[in-house]
Amino acid sequence: MIFEASQRTPQVELTPTSCLIRGECYPENISEWSDPILKALEECLGNDESAYVVDIELYYFNSSSAKFLFDFFEFLEESAEGGKSITVNWRYRAEDDTMQEAGEDFEEDVSACSYNMVMVEQA
């Protein structure tokens, strides 16, 4: 399932084995944007595949999007605690201290998932 990027929302690709979120995230109505994504994620995590990989590369997000990310990580964490093997790759640009720090903050809330901070060079 693909949720195309817009001016205010990131691209989200969900498959039975992976999730990619890339772009900026500051939708006008966070629940209108995030509810279908969380529902699709729940369906993907309910599959029989044993491993799930999440790649997140955000360039900006606002405070309401931070709440979505907390919910997103909480859902991943609950799935991992239930036996699902989940790897999260938080990708940030080398010069983007804000996104690096945000990734480190989210990492503190995750213990059952494997969590990697991945520095990427800007293309």
Side-chain angles (χ1 to χ4, degrees):
M1 181 171 291
I2 297 176
F3 297 86
E4 294 293 339
S6 73
Q7 184 177 359
R8 300 173 65 99
T9 61
Q11 176 179 355
V12 179
E13 295 179 18
L14 292 159
T15 74
T17 58
S18 67
C19 172
L20 168 69
I21 300 175
R22 179 184 291 139
E24 295 186 352
C25 189
Y26 56 103
E28 289 183 34
N29 183 329
I30 188 67
S31 60
E32 183 179 296
W33 175 79
S34 66
D35 288 351
I37 291 170
L38 291 172
K39 184 175 184 335
L41 177 67
E42 183 176 1
E43 291 173 14
C44 288
L45 288 173
N47 70 44
D48 293 335
E49 300 294 329
S50 59
Y52 199 79
V53 177
V54 178
D55 288 295
I56 300 174
E57 186 174 341
L58 292 173
Y59 313 128
Y60 171 80
F61 62 88
N62 63 6
S63 57
S64 62
S65 299
K67 170 69 170 106
F68 156 73
L69 288 167
F70 279 114
D71 292 345
F72 183 83
F73 281 116
E74 183 177 58
F75 188 77
L76 292 175
E77 187 71 3
E78 289 171 2
S79 296
E81 288 169 353
K84 188 82 166 173
S85 172
I86 297 177
T87 300
V88 176
N89 298 308
W90 181 273
R91 301 177 179 278
Y92 62 96
R93 294 175 179 168
E95 70 284 351
D96 193 342
D97 294 341
T98 302
M99 285 300 110
Q100 179 181 356
E101 290 172 13
E104 291 167 351
D105 289 344
F106 287 119
E107 183 177 21
E108 292 175 6
D109 296 329
V110 175
S111 61
C113 297
S114 174
Y115 194 99
N116 304 303
M117 295 290 297
V118 181
M119 183 172 51
V120 296
E121 296 299 324
Q122 191 167 351

